[in-house]
Amino acid sequence: MKKKHLLYLLLFIGIMTASGCSSGGKEEIPEPSPAPTPKPEPKPEEPKPEISLSSDITASGLSFTNEEGTQTVSFTTNFDWTISQTDGSGWCTPSATQGSKGSASVTFTVKANEETEDRQTNITIKASTASKSFTITQEKKYVLTAKADKKEI
């Protein structure tokens, strides 16, 4: 009888051991966690467009006598630049109308003013959305006019 009890005991231990290793025939596999979404690299802030130009020039502009002449304007920009002007294209010429960012010098050449009126042109330096303007003025030609008054007796 002891053999029978021993057999039942071994059978019971075997069943318990087999049932403890299984979860109803299904093995639980943990679900993979989703891969983390990479954060986009922040874009570096684009610099604010700037033009550095002497305040004397923006306030007073350039003045020329009535004779032919040249004057140079130096400035610095952090974007490529252009120069435009109103009127004056026949008598006032810039040495350059566009350039790359950084330091620049532009020479303005004026022809002699043979007119009896002062003349002027407005110059605008533009770099992206920034702009600075100034005026170039050239004096008139001075003419001495003499009138002859005749008196007869």
Side-chain angles (χ1 to χ4, degrees):
M1 177 113 134
K2 275 190 171 190
K3 284 187 177 183
K4 200 174 188 185
H5 286 301
L6 186 59
L7 183 61
Y8 286 129
L9 181 61
L10 286 177
L11 184 59
F12 177 75
I13 291 175
I15 291 173
M16 292 305 287
T17 303
S19 68
C21 293
S22 173
S23 59
K26 286 187 176 178
E27 199 169 314
E28 288 187 32
I29 300 173
E31 290 198 24
S33 59
T37 305
K39 291 184 179 179
E41 293 279 330
K43 289 184 181 180
E45 279 191 38
E46 191 160 317
K48 179 181 176 186
E50 294 179 358
I51 300 171
S52 176
L53 175 67
S54 168
S55 60
D56 291 344
I57 293 173
T58 55
S60 303
L62 299 178
S63 295
F64 289 88
T65 65
N66 67 313
E67 297 175 355
E68 181 178 304
T70 62
Q71 291 189 48
T72 300
V73 173
S74 296
F75 56 93
T76 304
T77 66
N78 60 346
F79 280 80
D80 292 349
W81 56 268
T82 60
I83 288 183
S84 61
Q85 72 183 79
T86 59
D87 306 323
S89 60
W91 61 271
C92 178
T93 308
S95 60
T97 56
Q98 62 185 13
S100 300
K101 67 181 178 178
S103 297
S105 292
V106 176
T107 300
F108 292 90
T109 303
V110 297
K111 295 179 180 178
N113 187 358
E114 298 296 327
E115 303 296 320
T116 57
E117 296 291 325
D118 289 350
R119 58 189 179 186
Q120 70 179 24
T121 182
N122 293 313
I123 304 295
T124 301
I125 302 170
K126 189 168 185 176
S128 184
T129 58
S131 66
K132 297 269 180 150
S133 296
F134 60 94
T135 302
I136 295 178
T137 304
Q138 187 179 29
E139 294 178 348
K140 63 187 172 189
K141 180 177 182 177
Y142 290 96
V143 178
L144 181 59
T145 307
K147 290 185 180 182
D149 284 341
K150 286 189 184 180
K151 291 191 178 185
E152 291 184 28
I153 302 183

